[in-house]
Amino acid sequence: MQAKIKKMKKSFIYIFISVMLISSSGCKKWLDVNTNPVVPQFPNVSSVFPTQIAAYPRGLQYDGRYVSRYIQNFATYTTSAANKNWDNMGYVAASDANGDIWRQAYIGFGRNLKYIIETSIKNQQWDYAGAGLAMQAAIYQYTTDYHNDIIFKEAFSDNQTAFRFDDQETVYNGIDSICRLAITYLSNTNYSPNQDRLSKGDYVYNGDAEKWLKYAYGILARNFHRITNKPSYNADSVIYYCDKSLASTSDDFLVAFDATRNDDANFFGTYRNNLSDHRQTNFIVRLLDGTTLTGVPASVVTANNRDPRMRHLLSASNDTTNGNGGYRGVDPGIGDPYSALNNWWTYTAGTTNYNNARKKVGSVWGDTTYANPTASTFSTTYQKYLFGNKAAMPVMTASEIDFMKAEAAYRKGDKNTAYAAYIKGINDHFDFINRASFPRGGTPFYSINPITTAEKNAYMAGNNVKQNATSLTLSDIMLQKYIALWGWGFFETWVDLRRYHYTDLDVETGVQVYTGFALPVTLASENNGKPVYRARPRYNSEYVWNMEELRRLGGLNPDYHTYECWFSQP
Amino acid sequence: MRKTTASFILCWLSCLLIPGLAFAQSRSINGVVETKDGKPIQGVTVSVNGTARATSTEQDGTFNILIETGQTLEFSSIGYETQSRRIGNENTIRIVMVEGKGTQEDEVIVTAYGQTKGKRGLTYQAQQLKGDEIAETQRDNWVNGLIGRVAGANITPSSGAPGASTTIVLRGPVSLGGNNQPLFVVDGVPYDNQTINQDNLLGNSSGANRNSDYGNRAADINSNDIETITILKGPEASALYGSEGASGAIVITTKKGKSGRAVVSYDNSFRFENIYRFPEIQTVYTRGSNGISDLTSTGNPFSSGTVYQYFGDKYPEGTKIYDNARAFFRTGKSQRHNLNLDGGSNVATYRLSVSYRNQEGVVPMTGDEQISTKLTGGVNITPKMKLTTSLAYTNIITDKATKGAGGYLYNLINFPSDIDVTDWINPDGTRKLYRQGNASLSAEFDNPFWDVNKNRSQDKIDRTSVTANYTFNIAKWISLLNNFGVDYYSQTGFSVVHPLSRAGFSLNGTYSLYEQVTRNISNNTSLNFNKSFGKFNNSLIAGMAFDNRSTKIESQKGERFFERDFYSILNTDPISRDAKTVQNVERLARWFANYSFDFNRIFYVSLAGSREGNSKLVSRAVDKDPYYNFGSASSSLIFSDIGNVKKSLPWLSFGKLRVSYGTTGKGPYRPYIIDNSFSGQISTGGGFAYDLAAGNNYSLQPEFTKNFEFGGELRFFKDRISLDVTRYDLRSDNQIIAARYSYGSGFAIRFINGGLVSNKGIETILNVKAIQSKNFKWDVTANFDRNRGEVLEMPGGLPTYYDSDTWVFGNMRSQMFVGASPYNLASYTVVRNNNGDVVISPTTGLPATSNNFMEVGDRQVDYKVGLINNFNYKNFNLSFNIEFRKGGDVWNGMEYYLFLTGLSKKTLSREEPIVIKGVLNDGLQNSTTPTPNTIVIVPFNRNDYYTSSSSSTEADFIENVNWMRMRDATLSYNIPAKVLTKTKFISSASVFVTGTELFMITNYTGMDPSVNANNASSRGAGGVGIDFGALSMPRGINFGVRVRF
């Protein structure tokens, strides 16, 4: 008995020791549960790609709220100091406002595009790799044009917490390389047969690699065209890339919104209500009512000079006695003189208040709306142009490419090519407005009815449009481009305006290229009398955490935003 | 319905149990243990030699135990010499205990994994509390009962509302961004103490962990089931518990059945509580601006929502002023019933406890109801094998109110004093509106009554814990111990924002629900070897432990109600509904060994080591070692027993010195951050994108804390006075931190390693048996602690780190800098010139604020003292716990809010002209001749003096707080045995009155400085010491009876 117990004890200890030994070696497998059961940690690129398309408009629209005021697409109707500051080419200190392009570059796109590119190359999904690289090139282009020096080479580096900024020339060369890589992959049709193709998850072009290729060429064209003030500028390359880029409205890069809830609705629509302070400027009103392009102030007599696009882009007031059909605008930093008045119907008809209240500048969401008519509800009743809950957001259009080509050809002295591209650009913008169908059931951009052929023909043959190549001026091209990009192409327009230092004169005609464009009467106090030339990097990314690098660049100076970027310098 | 069911169950159980009284039929022996003077002694351990059978004496000194003729009974108790008695044929015995010296060190305490260790040679300070002492405090959350009783514990309830969570941090926050709460262990297995983190729920746009509280789950333990609580802070204990015990451990043993006569006991408690510290508001000036009354005037401090501003003229004479704050709160009531049955034979014992509690909180519509029951059974399988199992079930339903900005408390303080707050609803069930003219539902705060009645939220817990403790005494010198546990609970809840509420109006109501299911399984096995060679006593513990933890949270949210007053997810617009799942699975495997020896019970050495594998460090993408090692070495010396120390120092009865050094590793606080961390997107097209707020890091390593501590224990005058002192020095490096840094990283927040935090402190426990006469005893215990933390290096060399959860209002948050304490507060400050003078705008006469977060306060307490007095006079017992706190900052965010809206009493001087002292910002401010400010402001006409965030900043509302508060006091009376014997079936009975939070003497001007702006789920230093929208602790009085049959 005693012996038996002893034996039992012994075997027990042996068992215990062997269990411990076995468990210590077999445990690594038991511990292998660090894989998220509800979210994939190595997802298929087709699951990541849609998030990147959705991320695209975010940065552009968030920061578009501010840049659109620098370029006078919009100005504030209020007298609020913070709003006026943007109109006056200032910024808000210690704030993330106008830091969303930065966010998009590094954490919206950032590692996600990197993941798409690296994974798809590994899996021989060349279309994903190409599309990912094209978007990566595009966002770096936006970011450097916006901020000048940016994090490029050290971006996403794992083992550092401070990042060096690269100068703009370095970034430009880098974008060139990324674009070429994108083009190489998009041209490779030797896909792995076992993997998903781009059509899964791509709701811009439905996986059409040809169209992505055109988009990639468009980015390359932008990259080459920005240095018009430099001796190294090569117009032929720009024309070459434009010719390979978006050719018609069906090539336009548009991002759709499902508009079922806040997170998938257009940031510029009524539901999300982000343009409530924004009003059309007098500058765009005068471009569309004929004043600027014909040189004759709008009046009832010159009604035929009105651009048929005006009623689709702009909002009219109740009072239509101003000579252009009731389209009024505001000047930057001034506000709407009648903004403080209540709704016109609350006053006795015929009184001054009644009359003035009917002259208020309309909100972007519709004629005779002076505030958001349906904030926080999903109404499709109110939509003007791109400002609807389910209206797509353009990223690049054929029309933009046309005007880029026109300017390049014009600079080269090839006026015929320039003229053809100029005419095509206007036509493409009419087509853009008239577009009937959109991805994911998006709503049309036109108001109620499309522009009729007769209206369009009348405009093309009218005083706003130059009728031959010899009379074409740089202003014609740039102002028509301004119209075509109004309401969405804020960043491109800002590049254009900065290339012409806002108010440069056309050396050929002696007229200001952006005819009628005036800097705000009062510039923001920190500007020291200079217009804005760059945006300060995102506050809660760089000013808080990467300050030493900003100090090196002068980013801590209050007027850093007035430093001219490399691209527009000679 | 719920209440009646519960009462029924209670009755039924009582009926069921009473007949059970008759079952104990084996030979048992009754006895009484007394002092020489014939006074009964309670708590004497009575054990049968050579068996595992043991019991302890009751209040009247009686005991009952099963025995066979010829066996020997042993009687032991602190302060008395151990007695033995061989039992013949007698059925009753009387034992007289003789007071002895130095027997206190024979007391054992429970340490890691259900092991016990003698206190004498213990190489670290470990405080052990009796469960009954904590239960007697009658706290809803028993963790609050530890306040003042544990040296070195920082215990902060998040508010005084029912179901509020409590944060406990031992010593200091060693992790800047990790979890600093200790591990709770019940009967050798971990007990989950999570608080739901709002980051894991849907619809959390207003910031996490500030507007709702979900309780801390350790509160689910029924304090009446607790036998002992041991607080382990030292390195050795935590070295054995591994990364989970890196912030210390609270080791709980529960009551077990005792062999012998079955005992039924019942106690109850009835409680009334009220709020006695109210927010103070001015009732002189009415709504308006710049001195002009306008009953619709609003302000919007820091865009937290438009609210009434009180910058108008005086209330017209004769205006009826209502005391709305007092009209709102009600007297809280609760009742509690505990029923215990225990008994057993020499083979098996069992204990059943049933507890029922029902509470109505001081805030209308809030309250909770708890039913818990626990069944513990022990069986001697063979004389050498023992198995103890327990099954505990808890059900708690808590009705909650909102917290923080926009919550009922803010609605209440901002509510106009000239309107009766109790008039809150229209006859048609719509919200009563008070702002004339602009009567939009989103344009004015909800009446607090509307808020608590219509914006309902509730949590419901169903928790089952099973433990099994197995002991096998293989031989005299070797035994095996196995502890197995399953801890399973589901917590479900909902919250509603009514469509007619301010926040619900634009969305036409929101309904959210969640369900958290947690299932933790753990097992640990250890072999204990004990062998003495001559004067060397050796002990070795070697074993392994496994933990498997899984928590899954499902949440849903819908908007746009169909039926106005119906609360259900199905009452929301289908296309507005959203769902979210978070699941965390973690596993830990640990091998540990602890070798200790002593020489002649004078010199002790202990070496402990662990090797731990942590699933949170496993990667599928890179080769990564999930294992890490840590350990400790410690020693103690009983110098009083060396040579003739005692002879030469007769007043010294015991003296011990100890020193130890140890390390503990800590993995990341959450899983899935080594490999890519993606998150589901709800933008057009859906899909997955990198989680920008939880950037993964392949190279993450465990963080390590090194602890050096030394101290000693001295007892004087026959143990009448004892003093235990510990000095510790903790250094935590390679911190794992969810750091914000440049977006160049690809993330907004990314997990990185680095940094160094030091925590040094001292903890002392002083016990004085002041009076020990026959009829009167006075015992005093004083727990003192002081901790100084400092951030020596920031991770990654980053300039700073802040916890966004704590940024609840204005610009004040918990933020770290090199050189600052881990409890640092940072906020904006006014601009000063090079000379330090405030720079004043020449146009407004007001200062400007610099938009930089500066160090403005340190919430670290200078020191705390918990003073526990215990008086015993015949059958009366009075004990009370007074807590003292010296220093440490608290941000009175509530007062700042009141200031900005013109309700603070500080704004009553508004008619006096003021010139802010400073220099004008005229270009000369930094010259040698700055222009002094002479701009006169009459704040009455210039309310920007109050409302502009620059004339007073957050930092102006930091208060350095001292307090003395009566945490709890209990007076009880034991009904004399003479009286009870007449009843024949009651063996002992007592009545008691207990008060909690009876008074507070403090220099703090707000409601309660001991609150937390966040719930207990926040990490790092959390929102402790940030007072914004939390209810003060109510004052409560309990009374009840305890009866033993």
Side-chain angles (χ1 to χ4, degrees), chain B residues 136-139 271 273 276 966-969 994-999 1033-1038:
Chain B
E136 265 177 22
T137 64
Q138 304 292 342
R139 299 276 189 172
R271 176 180 170 91
E273 62 180 24
Y276 69 104
M966 174 73 92
R967 289 292 190 175
D968 52 73
T994 296
T996 53
E997 305 294 338
L998 288 176
F999 67 83
M1033 297 289 281
R1035 170 169 56 198
I1037 293 285
N1038 301 267

PDB file of all heavy atoms in Angstrom, chain B residues 136-139 271 273 276 966-969 994-999 1033-1038:
ATOM      1  N   GLU B 136     -19.586  45.603   6.122  1.00  0.00           N
ATOM      2  CA  GLU B 136     -20.240  46.467   7.097  1.00  0.00           C
ATOM      3  C   GLU B 136     -20.376  47.915   6.630  1.00  0.00           C
ATOM      4  O   GLU B 136     -21.197  48.656   7.136  1.00  0.00           O
ATOM      5  CB  GLU B 136     -19.453  46.458   8.412  1.00  0.00           C
ATOM      6  CG  GLU B 136     -19.984  45.464   9.396  1.00  0.00           C
ATOM      7  CD  GLU B 136     -19.140  45.438  10.658  1.00  0.00           C
ATOM      8  OE1 GLU B 136     -18.439  46.432  10.933  1.00  0.00           O
ATOM      9  OE2 GLU B 136     -19.173  44.412  11.346  1.00  0.00           O
ATOM     10  N   THR B 137     -19.544  48.317   5.668  1.00  0.00           N
ATOM     11  CA  THR B 137     -19.654  49.697   5.189  1.00  0.00           C
ATOM     12  C   THR B 137     -20.908  49.882   4.338  1.00  0.00           C
ATOM     13  O   THR B 137     -21.274  51.001   4.014  1.00  0.00           O
ATOM     14  CB  THR B 137     -18.433  50.120   4.361  1.00  0.00           C
ATOM     15  OG1 THR B 137     -18.388  49.317   3.179  1.00  0.00           O
ATOM     16  CG2 THR B 137     -17.140  49.954   5.143  1.00  0.00           C
ATOM     17  N   GLN B 138     -21.537  48.802   3.966  1.00  0.00           N
ATOM     18  CA  GLN B 138     -22.830  48.842   3.260  1.00  0.00           C
ATOM     19  C   GLN B 138     -22.759  49.592   1.928  1.00  0.00           C
ATOM     20  O   GLN B 138     -23.728  50.176   1.475  1.00  0.00           O
ATOM     21  CB  GLN B 138     -23.918  49.491   4.132  1.00  0.00           C
ATOM     22  CG  GLN B 138     -24.111  48.829   5.470  1.00  0.00           C
ATOM     23  CD  GLN B 138     -24.707  47.438   5.372  1.00  0.00           C
ATOM     24  OE1 GLN B 138     -25.283  47.073   4.341  1.00  0.00           O
ATOM     25  NE2 GLN B 138     -24.568  46.635   6.403  1.00  0.00           N
ATOM     26  N   ARG B 139     -21.584  49.583   1.319  1.00  0.00           N
ATOM     27  CA  ARG B 139     -21.468  50.270   0.042  1.00  0.00           C
ATOM     28  C   ARG B 139     -22.127  49.443  -1.061  1.00  0.00           C
ATOM     29  O   ARG B 139     -22.050  48.221  -1.049  1.00  0.00           O
ATOM     30  CB  ARG B 139     -19.990  50.447  -0.322  1.00  0.00           C
ATOM     31  CG  ARG B 139     -19.215  51.267   0.670  1.00  0.00           C
ATOM     32  CD  ARG B 139     -19.390  52.719   0.379  1.00  0.00           C
ATOM     33  NE  ARG B 139     -18.491  53.517   1.200  1.00  0.00           N
ATOM     34  CZ  ARG B 139     -18.329  54.828   1.049  1.00  0.00           C
ATOM     35  NH1 ARG B 139     -19.018  55.469   0.122  1.00  0.00           N
ATOM     36  NH2 ARG B 139     -17.512  55.489   1.815  1.00  0.00           N
ATOM     37  N   ARG B 271     -31.569  51.611   3.943  1.00  0.00           N
ATOM     38  CA  ARG B 271     -30.708  52.774   3.767  1.00  0.00           C
ATOM     39  C   ARG B 271     -31.498  53.959   3.238  1.00  0.00           C
ATOM     40  O   ARG B 271     -32.385  53.812   2.394  1.00  0.00           O
ATOM     41  CB  ARG B 271     -29.607  52.424   2.769  1.00  0.00           C
ATOM     42  CG  ARG B 271     -28.675  53.570   2.403  1.00  0.00           C
ATOM     43  CD  ARG B 271     -27.629  53.076   1.398  1.00  0.00           C
ATOM     44  NE  ARG B 271     -26.860  54.158   0.837  1.00  0.00           N
ATOM     45  CZ  ARG B 271     -25.719  54.609   1.345  1.00  0.00           C
ATOM     46  NH1 ARG B 271     -25.224  54.052   2.431  1.00  0.00           N
ATOM     47  NH2 ARG B 271     -25.070  55.606   0.780  1.00  0.00           N
ATOM     48  N   GLU B 273     -30.509  57.828   1.731  1.00  0.00           N
ATOM     49  CA  GLU B 273     -29.371  58.662   1.377  1.00  0.00           C
ATOM     50  C   GLU B 273     -29.853  59.939   0.722  1.00  0.00           C
ATOM     51  O   GLU B 273     -30.943  59.985   0.133  1.00  0.00           O
ATOM     52  CB  GLU B 273     -28.401  57.915   0.458  1.00  0.00           C
ATOM     53  CG  GLU B 273     -28.979  57.493  -0.873  1.00  0.00           C
ATOM     54  CD  GLU B 273     -27.972  56.754  -1.746  1.00  0.00           C
ATOM     55  OE1 GLU B 273     -27.020  56.169  -1.204  1.00  0.00           O
ATOM     56  OE2 GLU B 273     -28.158  56.767  -2.974  1.00  0.00           O
ATOM     57  N   TYR B 276     -25.988  66.136  -0.138  1.00  0.00           N
ATOM     58  CA  TYR B 276     -25.890  67.263   0.781  1.00  0.00           C
ATOM     59  C   TYR B 276     -24.907  68.311   0.308  1.00  0.00           C
ATOM     60  O   TYR B 276     -24.740  69.328   0.952  1.00  0.00           O
ATOM     61  CB  TYR B 276     -25.544  66.778   2.183  1.00  0.00           C
ATOM     62  CG  TYR B 276     -24.146  66.218   2.326  1.00  0.00           C
ATOM     63  CD1 TYR B 276     -23.138  66.943   2.937  1.00  0.00           C
ATOM     64  CD2 TYR B 276     -23.847  64.953   1.834  1.00  0.00           C
ATOM     65  CE1 TYR B 276     -21.864  66.428   3.063  1.00  0.00           C
ATOM     66  CE2 TYR B 276     -22.577  64.433   1.954  1.00  0.00           C
ATOM     67  CZ  TYR B 276     -21.591  65.168   2.567  1.00  0.00           C
ATOM     68  OH  TYR B 276     -20.321  64.674   2.691  1.00  0.00           O
ATOM     69  N   MET B 966     -15.596  61.699   6.563  1.00  0.00           N
ATOM     70  CA  MET B 966     -16.022  60.519   7.296  1.00  0.00           C
ATOM     71  C   MET B 966     -16.565  59.554   6.255  1.00  0.00           C
ATOM     72  O   MET B 966     -17.665  59.711   5.757  1.00  0.00           O
ATOM     73  CB  MET B 966     -17.107  60.914   8.291  1.00  0.00           C
ATOM     74  CG  MET B 966     -17.737  59.743   9.006  1.00  0.00           C
ATOM     75  SD  MET B 966     -16.670  59.022  10.233  1.00  0.00           S
ATOM     76  CE  MET B 966     -17.184  59.930  11.677  1.00  0.00           C
ATOM     77  N   ARG B 967     -15.733  58.604   5.885  1.00  0.00           N
ATOM     78  CA  ARG B 967     -16.141  57.693   4.835  1.00  0.00           C
ATOM     79  C   ARG B 967     -17.236  56.749   5.316  1.00  0.00           C
ATOM     80  O   ARG B 967     -18.204  56.525   4.613  1.00  0.00           O
ATOM     81  CB  ARG B 967     -14.933  56.906   4.328  1.00  0.00           C
ATOM     82  CG  ARG B 967     -13.952  57.738   3.523  1.00  0.00           C
ATOM     83  CD  ARG B 967     -14.580  58.168   2.215  1.00  0.00           C
ATOM     84  NE  ARG B 967     -13.597  58.772   1.313  1.00  0.00           N
ATOM     85  CZ  ARG B 967     -13.880  59.135   0.073  1.00  0.00           C
ATOM     86  NH1 ARG B 967     -15.093  58.969  -0.422  1.00  0.00           N
ATOM     87  NH2 ARG B 967     -12.957  59.684  -0.687  1.00  0.00           N
ATOM     88  N   ASP B 968     -17.023  56.177   6.496  1.00  0.00           N
ATOM     89  CA  ASP B 968     -18.088  55.324   7.026  1.00  0.00           C
ATOM     90  C   ASP B 968     -17.963  55.218   8.532  1.00  0.00           C
ATOM     91  O   ASP B 968     -16.890  55.418   9.094  1.00  0.00           O
ATOM     92  CB  ASP B 968     -18.067  53.927   6.381  1.00  0.00           C
ATOM     93  CG  ASP B 968     -16.719  53.270   6.453  1.00  0.00           C
ATOM     94  OD1 ASP B 968     -16.335  52.842   7.551  1.00  0.00           O
ATOM     95  OD2 ASP B 968     -16.030  53.164   5.407  1.00  0.00           O
ATOM     96  N   ALA B 969     -19.052  54.951   9.180  1.00  0.00           N
ATOM     97  CA  ALA B 969     -19.066  54.771  10.626  1.00  0.00           C
ATOM     98  C   ALA B 969     -20.153  53.769  10.941  1.00  0.00           C
ATOM     99  O   ALA B 969     -21.236  53.798  10.352  1.00  0.00           O
ATOM    100  CB  ALA B 969     -19.355  56.091  11.321  1.00  0.00           C
ATOM    101  N   THR B 994     -25.180  52.211  10.282  1.00  0.00           N
ATOM    102  CA  THR B 994     -23.976  52.555   9.540  1.00  0.00           C
ATOM    103  C   THR B 994     -24.245  53.812   8.736  1.00  0.00           C
ATOM    104  O   THR B 994     -25.302  53.950   8.122  1.00  0.00           O
ATOM    105  CB  THR B 994     -23.584  51.415   8.567  1.00  0.00           C
ATOM    106  OG1 THR B 994     -23.264  50.262   9.318  1.00  0.00           O
ATOM    107  CG2 THR B 994     -22.391  51.804   7.718  1.00  0.00           C
ATOM    108  N   GLY B 995     -23.301  54.705   8.763  1.00  0.00           N
ATOM    109  CA  GLY B 995     -23.418  55.897   7.929  1.00  0.00           C
ATOM    110  C   GLY B 995     -22.263  55.931   6.953  1.00  0.00           C
ATOM    111  O   GLY B 995     -21.143  55.545   7.299  1.00  0.00           O
ATOM    112  N   THR B 996     -22.542  56.359   5.739  1.00  0.00           N
ATOM    113  CA  THR B 996     -21.448  56.537   4.784  1.00  0.00           C
ATOM    114  C   THR B 996     -21.428  57.985   4.337  1.00  0.00           C
ATOM    115  O   THR B 996     -22.470  58.614   4.197  1.00  0.00           O
ATOM    116  CB  THR B 996     -21.606  55.627   3.550  1.00  0.00           C
ATOM    117  OG1 THR B 996     -22.892  55.834   2.998  1.00  0.00           O
ATOM    118  CG2 THR B 996     -21.442  54.172   3.903  1.00  0.00           C
ATOM    119  N   GLU B 997     -20.247  58.468   4.103  1.00  0.00           N
ATOM    120  CA  GLU B 997     -20.022  59.850   3.639  1.00  0.00           C
ATOM    121  C   GLU B 997     -20.793  60.831   4.528  1.00  0.00           C
ATOM    122  O   GLU B 997     -21.463  61.730   4.046  1.00  0.00           O
ATOM    123  CB  GLU B 997     -20.458  60.016   2.166  1.00  0.00           C
ATOM    124  CG  GLU B 997     -19.817  59.040   1.198  1.00  0.00           C
ATOM    125  CD  GLU B 997     -18.320  59.225   1.056  1.00  0.00           C
ATOM    126  OE1 GLU B 997     -17.804  60.333   1.350  1.00  0.00           O
ATOM    127  OE2 GLU B 997     -17.649  58.258   0.677  1.00  0.00           O
ATOM    128  N   LEU B 998     -20.656  60.654   5.821  1.00  0.00           N
ATOM    129  CA  LEU B 998     -21.467  61.454   6.731  1.00  0.00           C
ATOM    130  C   LEU B 998     -21.127  62.931   6.672  1.00  0.00           C
ATOM    131  O   LEU B 998     -21.988  63.778   6.742  1.00  0.00           O
ATOM    132  CB  LEU B 998     -21.321  60.932   8.157  1.00  0.00           C
ATOM    133  CG  LEU B 998     -22.014  59.593   8.383  1.00  0.00           C
ATOM    134  CD1 LEU B 998     -21.767  59.079   9.781  1.00  0.00           C
ATOM    135  CD2 LEU B 998     -23.517  59.701   8.126  1.00  0.00           C
ATOM    136  N   PHE B 999     -19.862  63.241   6.562  1.00  0.00           N
ATOM    137  CA  PHE B 999     -19.525  64.654   6.402  1.00  0.00           C
ATOM    138  C   PHE B 999     -18.194  64.776   5.691  1.00  0.00           C
ATOM    139  O   PHE B 999     -17.415  63.829   5.622  1.00  0.00           O
ATOM    140  CB  PHE B 999     -19.485  65.386   7.748  1.00  0.00           C
ATOM    141  CG  PHE B 999     -18.372  64.939   8.661  1.00  0.00           C
ATOM    142  CD1 PHE B 999     -17.094  65.453   8.522  1.00  0.00           C
ATOM    143  CD2 PHE B 999     -18.624  64.006   9.657  1.00  0.00           C
ATOM    144  CE1 PHE B 999     -16.070  65.036   9.363  1.00  0.00           C
ATOM    145  CE2 PHE B 999     -17.603  63.578  10.495  1.00  0.00           C
ATOM    146  CZ  PHE B 999     -16.324  64.103  10.347  1.00  0.00           C
ATOM    147  N   MET B1033     -20.908  62.337  -3.877  1.00  0.00           N
ATOM    148  CA  MET B1033     -21.266  61.108  -3.168  1.00  0.00           C
ATOM    149  C   MET B1033     -22.381  61.445  -2.171  1.00  0.00           C
ATOM    150  O   MET B1033     -22.239  62.349  -1.354  1.00  0.00           O
ATOM    151  CB  MET B1033     -20.064  60.579  -2.386  1.00  0.00           C
ATOM    152  CG  MET B1033     -18.885  60.179  -3.245  1.00  0.00           C
ATOM    153  SD  MET B1033     -19.167  58.678  -4.185  1.00  0.00           S
ATOM    154  CE  MET B1033     -18.902  57.439  -2.939  1.00  0.00           C
ATOM    155  N   PRO B1034     -23.484  60.723  -2.210  1.00  0.00           N
ATOM    156  CA  PRO B1034     -24.563  61.026  -1.274  1.00  0.00           C
ATOM    157  C   PRO B1034     -24.205  60.569   0.141  1.00  0.00           C
ATOM    158  O   PRO B1034     -23.376  59.687   0.336  1.00  0.00           O
ATOM    159  CB  PRO B1034     -25.750  60.229  -1.818  1.00  0.00           C
ATOM    160  CG  PRO B1034     -25.180  59.195  -2.706  1.00  0.00           C
ATOM    161  CD  PRO B1034     -23.823  59.635  -3.132  1.00  0.00           C
ATOM    162  N   ARG B1035     -24.864  61.201   1.094  1.00  0.00           N
ATOM    163  CA  ARG B1035     -24.707  60.814   2.486  1.00  0.00           C
ATOM    164  C   ARG B1035     -25.770  59.772   2.781  1.00  0.00           C
ATOM    165  O   ARG B1035     -26.935  59.949   2.422  1.00  0.00           O
ATOM    166  CB  ARG B1035     -24.911  62.044   3.353  1.00  0.00           C
ATOM    167  CG  ARG B1035     -25.015  61.776   4.830  1.00  0.00           C
ATOM    168  CD  ARG B1035     -24.934  63.061   5.605  1.00  0.00           C
ATOM    169  NE  ARG B1035     -25.956  64.012   5.179  1.00  0.00           N
ATOM    170  CZ  ARG B1035     -25.913  65.318   5.429  1.00  0.00           C
ATOM    171  NH1 ARG B1035     -24.887  65.832   6.056  1.00  0.00           N
ATOM    172  NH2 ARG B1035     -26.872  66.114   5.028  1.00  0.00           N
ATOM    173  N   GLY B1036     -25.371  58.693   3.402  1.00  0.00           N
ATOM    174  CA  GLY B1036     -26.347  57.638   3.620  1.00  0.00           C
ATOM    175  C   GLY B1036     -26.333  57.112   5.032  1.00  0.00           C
ATOM    176  O   GLY B1036     -25.321  57.138   5.717  1.00  0.00           O
ATOM    177  N   ILE B1037     -27.496  56.691   5.475  1.00  0.00           N
ATOM    178  CA  ILE B1037     -27.628  56.067   6.791  1.00  0.00           C
ATOM    179  C   ILE B1037     -28.280  54.705   6.579  1.00  0.00           C
ATOM    180  O   ILE B1037     -29.304  54.598   5.907  1.00  0.00           O
ATOM    181  CB  ILE B1037     -28.543  56.905   7.716  1.00  0.00           C
ATOM    182  CG1 ILE B1037     -27.892  58.239   8.052  1.00  0.00           C
ATOM    183  CG2 ILE B1037     -28.896  56.139   8.971  1.00  0.00           C
ATOM    184  CD1 ILE B1037     -26.779  58.141   9.056  1.00  0.00           C
ATOM    185  N   ASN B1038     -27.637  53.669   7.124  1.00  0.00           N
ATOM    186  CA  ASN B1038     -28.195  52.328   7.047  1.00  0.00           C
ATOM    187  C   ASN B1038     -28.511  51.857   8.453  1.00  0.00           C
ATOM    188  O   ASN B1038     -27.788  52.181   9.385  1.00  0.00           O
ATOM    189  CB  ASN B1038     -27.167  51.328   6.525  1.00  0.00           C
ATOM    190  CG  ASN B1038     -26.656  51.704   5.171  1.00  0.00           C
ATOM    191  OD1 ASN B1038     -27.169  51.276   4.168  1.00  0.00           O
ATOM    192  ND2 ASN B1038     -25.617  52.534   5.143  1.00  0.00           N
TER     193      ASN B1038
END
